[in-house]
Amino acid sequence: MKSHIPLIVGNWKMNPATLGKARKLFLDTRKEIGRKKLETQIAVAPPFPFLSEMQRLSPSQRIGLAAQDVFFESIGAHTGEVSLPMLKSVGVSSVIVGHSERRAAGETDEEIYKDIQAIFKSGVTAIVCVGEKARDAQGNYFGIVEAQIRSAIRSIPKTKLKQLVIAYEPVWAIGTGNHATAEDVHEMKLFIQKIIADQFGRDAIKKVRVLYGGSVKKKNAHALLAVGQVDGFLIGGASLKPKEFAAIIHIAESHGKGTL
Ligand code: PEP
C-alpha cells in the first residue's frame, strides 16, 4: 500500500519563555528547513499567546500551525479556555488532542471525545495522542491503546477520516531519551490500523496517518520510519532545536521519496 505523505509536527509545549524567543525559534527553524520545496508536511504547535505572531511569520503556511489543545465549546463563559473558532482565526489547521501531559493534568477520555467531535465539525485536523504509561510483559498496553482510540474515535463519520491523525506516544518514551524500538513501533502501527479497519473498513487505513512520538531524534528517525513504518512524528524536545528538527524533516523527506 502506498504510504502517506510524511507529517512532522513539533510540539513546543510551554516553551520558549517569551514572544521574542518564539519568533527566533520559528525563524531559525524556517531557515534550517531551507527553501527547497518539500513534500513532507510540517507543523509546529507553539503556546497559544504566540500563535498569531507565528501566523504572521509564515503567511504561506509552509510551516503549518497546530494548537496544543482546545476546548470543545465555541464561545461563552469558560474562563481560561480556547475555542476552535479562535484557533482557526489565527491560522491553526491542526490540533493536538489528548496529549499525555494534558491527560496527566486530569483530561478525561470523555473530554477528549468532545474535543474531537468539535474539531471534526470545524474542518481542522485532529492529532489524537494515545499511549501506555508503562510496558508490561503480558502486553496489556495494547488494551490501553485500543481503549483510548475506540473512545476517541467512536461515532466519527467515515467521510471525515482524512482529518484524523493518530499519534502513538508511549508515555515512558516522552522526554526521557528512551524511544520505543522501531520493531515495537511497527507492531503498534499495525495494531492501530487494525482498530481503524475494524471500525471503518480496510480502505480507511489509507486515510488515517499514524505518527510516533517519544524521544525522536535525528539518530533514530530513519529506523522509526523505515522499520517502524510510521507516517511521521510528533516531536517535543527536538522541535526546540532548529537544526535537529530540520534534520528529522529532511530524513522524512528522503524516506518519503525513497532516496534514503
Ligand atoms: C511529546 O511531548 O509529544 C514528545 C514526543 O516529546 P519528546 O519528543 O520530547 O519525547
Side-chain angles (χ1 to χ4, degrees):
M1 186 181 300
K2 191 176 175 334
S3 55
H4 299 277
I5 292 170
L7 171 64
I8 308 290
V9 183
N11 175 12
W12 290 2
K13 310 193 185 191
M14 203 170 74
N15 297 292
T18 64
L19 177 60
K21 288 182 179 166
R23 213 181 271 136
K24 179 166 172 15
L25 176 57
F26 191 88
L27 293 176
D28 288 351
T29 300
R30 199 172 69 180
K31 182 164 147 256
E32 291 298 335
I33 292 169
R35 287 173 171 274
K36 215 171 126 206
K37 196 172 177 332
L38 302 179
E39 271 180 18
T40 303
Q41 285 178 4
I42 306 159
V44 293
F48 294 136
F50 304 153
L51 279 166
S52 58
E53 176 65 0
M54 301 305 113
Q55 181 192 30
R56 197 184 67 77
L57 294 177
S58 184
S60 68
Q61 287 265 321
R62 191 165 130 77
I63 300 178
L65 283 183
Q68 297 179 16
D69 196 15
V70 72
F71 186 60
F72 52 85
E73 297 287 0
S74 51
I75 198 154
H78 304 288
T79 303
E81 302 291 2
V82 172
S83 74
L84 279 154
M86 291 171 189
L87 293 174
K88 281 176 75 174
S89 75
V90 292
V92 163
S93 55
S94 52
V95 178
I96 299 169
V97 204
H99 190 280
S100 62
E101 287 155 15
R102 303 290 331 138
R103 291 182 194 258
E107 192 168 65
T108 63
D109 277 343
E110 209 41 44
E111 284 160 347
I112 291 166
Y113 169 76
K114 287 184 184 164
D115 290 346
I116 292 170
Q117 292 297 311
I119 292 170
F120 275 98
K121 277 197 197 110
S122 77
V124 308
T125 296
I127 303 170
V128 182
C129 300
V130 297
E132 75 281 2
K133 289 198 182 111
R135 283 218 161 190
D136 56 304
Q138 296 72 38
N140 288 324
Y141 49 91
F142 284 109
I144 290 163
V145 169
E146 177 168 6
Q148 288 173 338
I149 295 178
R150 287 202 189 277
S151 162
I153 67 172
R154 66 186 196 271
S155 77
I156 286 178
K158 209 176 158 178
T159 50
K160 303 259 181 178
L161 280 180
K162 273 200 182 308
Q163 283 171 248
L164 176 64
V165 175
I166 306 274
Y168 170 56
E169 296 211 302
V171 182
W172 51 268
I174 294 181
T176 60
N178 302 321
H179 65 93
T181 66
E183 291 76 12
D184 286 346
V185 168
H186 185 221
E187 185 179 36
M188 188 56 86
K189 184 193 175 186
L190 295 175
F191 181 70
I192 291 170
Q193 286 185 322
K194 185 177 172 303
I195 298 168
I196 302 288
D198 272 0
Q199 183 158 334
F200 302 103
R202 271 205 71 75
D203 59 325
I205 291 175
K206 287 191 240 126
K207 299 194 178 116
V208 180
R209 282 186 279 194
V210 180
L211 311 185
Y212 168 75
S215 298
V216 175
K217 308 269 185 291
K218 70 177 179 213
K219 66 173 192 284
N220 55 33
H222 180 244
L224 288 164
L225 291 164
V227 180
Q229 295 275 308
V230 282
D231 306 306
F233 300 124
L234 181 52
I235 300 174
S239 70
L240 301 173
K241 298 178 187 153
K243 274 191 199 318
E244 181 86 13
F245 188 57
I248 298 168
I249 290 166
H250 292 135
I251 290 168
E253 179 73 7
S254 306
H255 176 80
K257 290 192 164 150
T259 54
L260 196 70

